[in-house]
Amino acid sequence: MNIGEIARRAGVSRSTVSYALSGKRPVSEDTRRKIQQVVDELGYQPSASARALANGRTSTLGLVFPPAGSHYTGMQLDFIGSVVEAAAAYDYDVLLSPSGVDSDRSFQRLLGERRVDGAILMEIRLEDDRVDHLATLGFPSVAIGRTAHPERGWWVGLDHTALVERCVHHLADLGHRRVAFVNRPEQLLQAGYESAHRGLEGFTKAAAERGLTVRTYCCGDDAASGQTCVERILHDDPATTALVTLNEAALGGLYRGLAEAGRHVPRDFSVTGVVAGRWAETVTPQLTAADVPAADMGRLAVDLLVERLDHPDAPPRHHLLTPPISLRASTGPAGAAPTADAGPGTTA
């Protein structure tokens, strides 16, 4: 079924049908009602490609989201779901592009073939060529995360520095003096991933302020890596009584490693970090954490991108979120952890 058939049955011209459906030009109420009746009878749905040709819009947003490792973590899938849900509220579809750099073919197709009206970028790096490339092209985009030059663009970010600082101060207030930091994988830190760097910055700063003995570790995004990481922590300094983590994918392994080492949480070992609330509540005991508001961040990113599309000349805007720490059951006063002839705190 096409516009020509609708025009024939309604007794009007093809252009009149087009104007009535697109709203580009006024059509009398009687004519519009006659056309709508035919459309309803035929169950006509204008094609997305035809709409795109008519109004220059695809009604599709791109989500540029490379998996940080070999798979998407639960938190990453939460972000994807939140973006799709928020876009649907604006009647936009979402096209996922697992692209990492501006030379990536998928990324280039997204832009060169104009498959989307705008893009949301995730897994942001401090120096991110995707952000720079889109800015150079003048292509509407919003980042979930901050580059080293956040004043230049549109973004929604989580203040990892401040949140990790709060976690450290919480542990120090409970009397913990020897604390480990479990970061994202080494390759992400080396690649300049924003959350890994800013989280490490917050941990180092707060630990220095409180005079703590600390060690830092990179950990793979899976439970087995989490368990191995705990084994390293307790081997390097058996007197460690707490840890802070950014790695929600390794959380189950961290708990398992502590259990196998005979460390009861929170009686003689405390765990906290920056983790999405629903993941913090899947472990036992539930994790005291700065809850990552994945749904809010996805919604805000879509809001900003739609604003950019509707108002191309608007100045850059952003949202920096600092959610409170939710006190659950995984932290408590420093207990009598096993002692050993451990030297001064170092960074690993």
Side-chain angles (χ1 to χ4, degrees), residues 103-286:
S103 60
D104 184 281
R105 289 184 178 180
S106 174
F107 189 53
Q108 289 301 325
R109 284 197 301 270
L110 202 69
L111 305 179
E113 298 177 15
R114 211 62 187 187
R115 294 185 175 186
V116 297
D117 298 325
I120 294 172
L121 307 178
M122 300 195 66
E123 295 292 356
I124 297 299
R125 306 180 186 193
L126 292 175
E127 302 294 335
D128 200 304
D129 51 9
R130 301 168 304 164
V131 175
D132 296 339
H133 187 59
L134 292 181
T136 299
L137 294 175
F139 191 88
S141 67
V142 172
I144 297 186
R146 292 176 292 160
T147 68
H149 309 286
E151 69 282 354
R152 300 178 183 174
W154 295 69
W155 52 270
V156 178
L158 199 63
D159 194 343
H160 288 92
T161 303
L163 295 178
V164 172
E165 284 183 32
R166 289 181 184 178
C167 291
V168 173
H169 288 302
H170 171 62
L171 293 174
D173 290 343
L174 290 171
H176 295 277
R177 309 304 302 165
R178 308 180 83 89
V179 180
F181 180 57
V182 179
N183 205 337
R184 300 293 301 284
E186 175 69 26
Q187 65 268 30
L188 302 190
L189 188 66
Q190 295 296 328
Y193 272 61
E194 179 247 349
S195 58
H197 277 268
R198 288 200 165 106
L200 178 59
E201 176 187 336
F203 181 81
T204 303
K205 181 174 179 287
E209 290 175 358
R210 301 303 292 264
L212 306 183
T213 298
V214 298
R215 292 175 182 265
T216 67
Y217 298 83
C218 288
C219 178
D221 285 335
D222 58 83
S225 296
Q227 183 171 351
T228 300
C229 189
V230 164
E231 292 170 0
R232 289 178 56 204
I233 290 169
L234 298 180
H235 173 271
D236 294 344
D237 185 359
T240 303
T241 61
L243 67 81
V244 179
T245 185
L246 290 179
N247 197 323
E248 51 90 15
L251 190 58
L254 297 175
Y255 268 58
R256 186 163 65 238
L258 290 168
E260 294 195 359
R263 302 294 179 94
H264 181 276
V265 179
R267 184 183 63 216
D268 47 29
F269 202 102
S270 289
V271 182
T272 185
V274 181
V275 175
R278 79 180 188 92
W279 296 99
E281 294 172 355
T282 61
V283 291
T284 304
Q286 294 186 357

Side-chain angles (χ1 to χ4, degrees), residues 30-93:
D30 286 346
T31 300
R32 189 200 63 78
R33 215 171 13 241
K34 186 188 302 182
I35 293 170
Q36 188 61 52
Q37 181 178 349
V38 174
V39 167
D40 291 342
E41 289 174 354
L42 299 178
Y44 173 74
Q45 291 287 336
S47 73
S49 58
R51 288 199 305 268
L53 286 172
N55 61 24
R57 292 279 189 94
T58 65
S59 296
T60 303
L61 306 179
L63 179 58
V64 183
F65 194 169
S70 59
H71 63 282
Y72 289 111
T73 68
M75 186 184 294
Q76 290 167 333
L77 292 173
D78 283 348
F79 273 117
I80 293 172
S82 73
V83 169
V84 170
E85 183 177 346
Y90 284 103
D91 203 23
Y92 275 93
D93 296 323

